[in-house]
């Protein structure tokens, strides 16, 4: 079982409009609702890949009820902790004419100390049964900034591999607790390390505590620095669509590869293919299965060696497993 933690769950609402024009009335052609939040998206993709997945975090109010109802139809097991506050909504407006997406995210409900204590008790029991743990997303109001560091330490004490995907001060504190995998995007990595050069920044992040650091670089793919080596993974082409949830599919690819004990090039191939196929899907937490199968054969993974980083040297290429 893979456990995903979403402390700031959401009801994801996607509006699709023929053309989005600011300062006017826009007609919506299609509306969809999905259970959301980064860890929930991860769980839905993992479930679609055939992995038993449990979702925990918080849910409250009418939107929390809607999240539970929709989650029940998607496959992952619901282990969300009830709170008095109301679960937030996130709104994605997709402009069909351009393929661009405008995102509006509510802040989330305030979690009380008693609710946090109830979550910790539940979390410890779930971690004991998990093969791997993913800690994903922002912290809702009321949760202390070192919460992810606390959860990383609990997973490590139980001997479970743990992935951290957050930003800002929660990332800075969480990485110091030595998670097994850290998955920042380019902006989050730059904020953490002060560098936008992927090789330098990921290695700096490893020195700060991340055992393996996998940086999402958008259309450029990703760069991974691990104890076993470093790799670049790139998609065959740039695609347009809804990028919401693409980074969460990266996490799903990495975690599924970890529990299946795949070598790093295969994990990265899967992560990039899933991420790209998610952009082509209509809503977060989904991926285009036909595109995913096709992309698995086309993603290029290149090993980065000490020699290849020297001026004038080309990288040593490692073809992906197909």
């Amino acid at each position: 079982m893979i456990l995903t933690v979403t402390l700031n769950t959401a009801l994801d609402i996607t509006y699709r409009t023929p053309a989005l024009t600011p300062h006017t009335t826009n007609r919506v052609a299609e509306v969809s609702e999905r259970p959301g939040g980064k860890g929930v998206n991860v769980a839905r993709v993992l479930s679609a890949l055939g992995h038993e997945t449990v979702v925990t975090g918080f849910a409250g109010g009418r939107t929390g009820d809607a999240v539970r109802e929709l989650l029940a139809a998607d496959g992952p097991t619901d282990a969300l902790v009830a709170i008095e506050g109301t679960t937030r909504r996130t709104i994605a407006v997709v402009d069909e004419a351009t393929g661009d997406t405008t995102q509006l995210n509510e802040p989330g409900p305030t979690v009380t100390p008693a609710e946090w204590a109830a979550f910790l008790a539940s979390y410890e029991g779930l971690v004991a049964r998990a093969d791997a743990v993913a800690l994903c997303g922002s912290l809702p109001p009321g949760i202390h900034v070192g919460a992810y560091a606390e959860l990383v330490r609990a997973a490590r004490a139980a001997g479970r591999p743990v992935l951290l995907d957050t930003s800002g001060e929660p990332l800075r504190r969480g990485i110091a607790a030595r998670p097994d995998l850290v998955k920042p995007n380019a902006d989050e990595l730059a904020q953490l390390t002060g560098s936008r050069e992927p090789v330098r920044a990921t290695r700096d992040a490893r020195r700060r505590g991340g055992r393996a650091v996998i940086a999402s670089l958008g259309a450029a793919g990703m760069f991974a620095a691990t104890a076993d080596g470093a790799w670049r993974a790139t998609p065959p082409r740039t695609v347009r669509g809804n990028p919401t949830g693409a980074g969460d599919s990266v996490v799903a690819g990495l975690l599924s590869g970890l529990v299946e004990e795949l070598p790093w090039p295969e994990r990265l191939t899967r992560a990039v293919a899933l991420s790209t196929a998610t952009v082509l899907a209509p809503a977060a937490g989904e991926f285009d299965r036909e595109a995913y199968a096709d992309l698995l054969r086309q993603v290029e993974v290149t090993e980065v060696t000490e020699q290849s980083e020297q001026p004038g040297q080309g990288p040593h290429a490692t073809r992906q497993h197909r």
Side-chain angles (χ1 to χ4, degrees):
M1 179 267 282
I2 299 176
L3 175 66
T4 73
V5 176
T6 310
L7 297 179
N8 209 4
T9 52
L11 178 65
D12 285 346
I13 303 170
T14 302
Y15 295 127
R16 307 186 77 89
T17 181
L20 181 63
T21 306
H23 315 301
T24 67
T25 298
N26 290 270
R27 296 191 179 276
V28 175
E30 180 183 342
V31 182
S32 63
E33 292 186 347
R34 297 290 187 274
K38 294 180 72 61
V40 175
N41 293 336
V42 171
R44 294 175 65 216
V45 173
L46 284 169
S47 183
L49 292 172
H51 287 273
E52 179 187 358
T53 312
V54 174
V55 172
T56 189
F58 299 103
R62 291 184 178 179
T63 52
D65 292 341
V67 167
R68 289 184 184 277
E69 291 173 7
L70 292 167
L71 194 61
D74 280 339
T77 299
D78 172 6
L80 296 167
V81 174
I83 58 173
E84 291 187 9
T86 299
T87 297
R88 68 188 177 127
R89 297 165 298 177
T90 66
I91 313 295
V93 183
V94 180
D95 185 332
E96 300 278 11
T98 64
D100 294 332
T101 300
T102 299
Q103 191 81 17
L104 302 172
N105 293 344
E106 295 179 356
T110 298
V111 177
T112 68
E115 290 165 346
W116 174 244
F119 169 80
L120 286 177
S122 174
Y123 174 76
E124 290 178 0
L126 292 168
V127 166
R129 300 190 287 111
D131 297 312
V133 181
L135 308 174
C136 305
S138 60
L139 299 178
I143 300 293
H144 66 95
V145 74
Y148 280 132
E150 183 176 359
L151 300 183
V152 168
R153 287 192 292 269
R156 293 197 62 209
R160 301 300 188 264
V162 56
L163 181 150
L164 178 62
D165 182 15
T166 188
S167 60
E169 191 61 23
L171 172 59
R172 189 179 305 277
R173 297 198 186 192
I175 200 171
R178 298 188 59 76
D180 296 271
L181 296 92
V182 183
K183 202 287 300 172
N185 62 32
D187 290 339
E188 292 161 352
L189 187 61
Q191 185 180 19
L192 175 68
T193 67
S195 174
R196 286 193 170 273
E197 201 290 307
V199 175
R200 181 180 300 108
T202 51
R203 288 183 175 172
D204 184 356
R206 287 198 70 217
R207 286 191 292 270
R208 293 169 184 264
R211 295 184 171 188
V213 179
I214 301 90
S216 292
L217 305 175
M222 63 187 63
F223 183 86
T226 80
D228 299 319
W231 293 269
R232 294 180 188 272
T234 56
R237 61 188 180 277
T238 300
V239 298
R240 301 200 69 150
N242 182 3
T244 306
D248 306 327
S249 290
V250 169
V251 172
L254 294 172
L255 274 182
S256 62
L258 183 152
V259 299
E260 294 172 31
E261 300 183 343
L262 297 180
W264 273 106
E266 289 189 34
R267 297 188 205 183
L268 297 171
T269 295
R270 179 180 293 182
V272 170
L274 277 172
S275 177
T276 307
T278 296
V279 176
L280 297 170
E286 299 178 356
F287 61 94
D288 184 313
R289 290 180 177 271
E290 184 176 344
Y292 170 60
D294 185 51
L295 287 159
L296 280 173
R297 299 187 292 269
Q298 299 180 58
V299 173
E300 183 174 340
V301 179
T302 304
E303 185 174 8
V304 178
T305 65
E306 293 290 340
Q307 182 182 14
S308 69
E309 293 174 40
Q310 301 302 315
Q313 297 289 333
H316 169 68
T318 302
R319 296 296 296 178
Q320 74 276 17
H321 296 256
R322 300 187 178 188

